[in-house]
Amino acid sequence: MPTAIAVTGPDLVLPSPDRHTPSAAVLQSAVQSPRTYSLDQSLTEMHTLIEHHGYVIVLCPASAPPAVVHRLHAIRSVLESDRIAILRPDLPPLGMAVLALQLRQLSICDFSPGVLASAARLLAHYIYAGALLGSVAKLDRVPVTLQSHAKSWVPGAQFAVLATPRPELVKLTAEASLSGPGFGTKMLYATGQLAPDWVTGTLAPAWRTQGVTEARLPAESARWWATPKLVEFAAAIPDISVLYQLVTSVRRDDCHWCGLELIGDRCGFCAAPLPPPPERSSPSPAVRALPRGAT
């Protein structure tokens, strides 16, 4: 069985693009209240995933409530399992759903669990995630200038915001644009309380996306963007062969702590950093023979 990809909400599970891509496991321990879903049930849920899949990679949004994060770490601690990776990439919710889909696609390839978990950080750099917002007055996840804060109080003002891979914010005008990817992508968008016309009719063509598809707005989106007046979007590489080549192009190492394979500079399971390469010792100075007669 492939490594299990688990998420903390059903709206982070995008439809599989083909019959080979497995779905993600929605953790009820994160969805339901501790009052109705006990710790014992949470432990059984996770233990079952480990028994069936061997390893579990959990994607948890950075905006998730602290109680959800604490419970995930409590489950890992009680089970004393090094087969659970809890990843919290700083992606907006729709971008997180896209990342989960990419990991699901790659889970059926010949990648070890350690490589798959550490690949999440690499893949996140190639996801262009942002939103069209009706206000940035309370937005704290992307740098907002005082001028933008003041403009957000103007009735009808809208802002185009890019959260990853490089933060960017512009007031929406006829000439407004965001820096897009220099490679082929497919765009997903999810509608809140704004119309998606600019995203689908202006941004997607400017980014030369290979297609535009509507998705369900994640429940965490309004909290992440600090307003329900939004249209969230994410453009990412849709081709599994390109994703596979991207991951295989990175050098693999063994984690010095848990022994799993990894790519990049940090293990996805135990979070141990890759040790720096040993410093080369300077060559010893050449020893010269004393000339005859020297003392």
Side-chain angles (χ1 to χ4, degrees), residues 20-232:
H20 303 292
T21 301
S23 185
V26 180
L27 296 179
Q28 296 305 305
S29 58
V31 175
Q32 299 190 35
S33 168
R35 297 179 179 178
T36 58
Y37 202 78
S38 68
L39 180 58
D40 285 344
Q41 290 174 298
S42 302
L43 295 173
T44 301
E45 176 186 43
M46 185 64 73
H47 180 72
T48 301
L49 284 175
I50 296 174
E51 286 292 308
H52 287 176
H53 297 272
Y55 290 83
V56 181
I57 298 173
V58 181
L59 291 176
C60 178
S63 58
V68 172
V69 182
H70 294 160
R71 171 161 280 212
L72 289 175
H73 284 282
I75 292 170
R76 191 179 193 275
S77 178
V78 172
L79 289 177
E80 296 183 343
S81 176
D82 56 359
R83 296 189 174 194
I84 305 170
I86 302 174
L87 308 181
R88 306 193 68 198
D90 197 15
L91 286 167
L94 189 59
M96 183 73 80
V98 170
L99 177 60
L101 176 59
Q102 292 181 334
L103 292 178
R104 288 160 49 198
Q105 290 177 285
L106 293 175
S107 70
I108 61 175
C109 299
D110 56 352
F111 294 125
S112 65
V115 168
L116 190 61
S118 53
R121 295 181 65 196
L122 171 67
L123 298 176
H125 288 295
Y126 292 88
I127 297 176
Y128 281 67
L132 176 66
L133 303 178
S135 172
V136 294
K138 298 181 180 180
L139 182 63
D140 60 359
R141 297 188 180 276
V142 176
V144 181
T145 65
L146 290 175
Q147 185 179 16
S148 295
H149 269 297
K151 290 180 179 179
S152 69
W153 295 100
V154 177
Q158 295 183 357
F159 300 84
V161 184
L162 189 65
T164 62
R166 293 173 298 275
E168 192 174 337
L169 186 152
V170 296
K171 186 177 184 297
L172 196 65
T173 63
E175 298 79 23
S177 63
L178 293 173
S179 301
F183 46 88
T185 62
K186 180 180 179 180
M187 177 179 284
L188 291 177
Y189 73 93
T191 303
Q193 295 179 10
L194 291 180
D197 299 353
W198 181 81
V199 174
T200 59
T202 300
L203 184 64
W207 283 6
R208 298 180 180 179
T209 59
Q210 299 171 358
V212 181
T213 303
E214 186 174 7
R216 178 171 52 175
L217 185 70
E220 285 291 320
S221 294
R223 176 161 35 199
W224 204 96
W225 294 103
T227 178
K229 298 179 179 179
L230 67 109
V231 178
E232 192 172 6

Side-chain angles (χ1 to χ4, degrees), residues 234-248:
I237 300 171
D239 193 338
I240 186 174
S241 63
V242 178
L243 296 173
Y244 182 87
Q245 292 175 5
L246 184 62
V247 175
T248 54

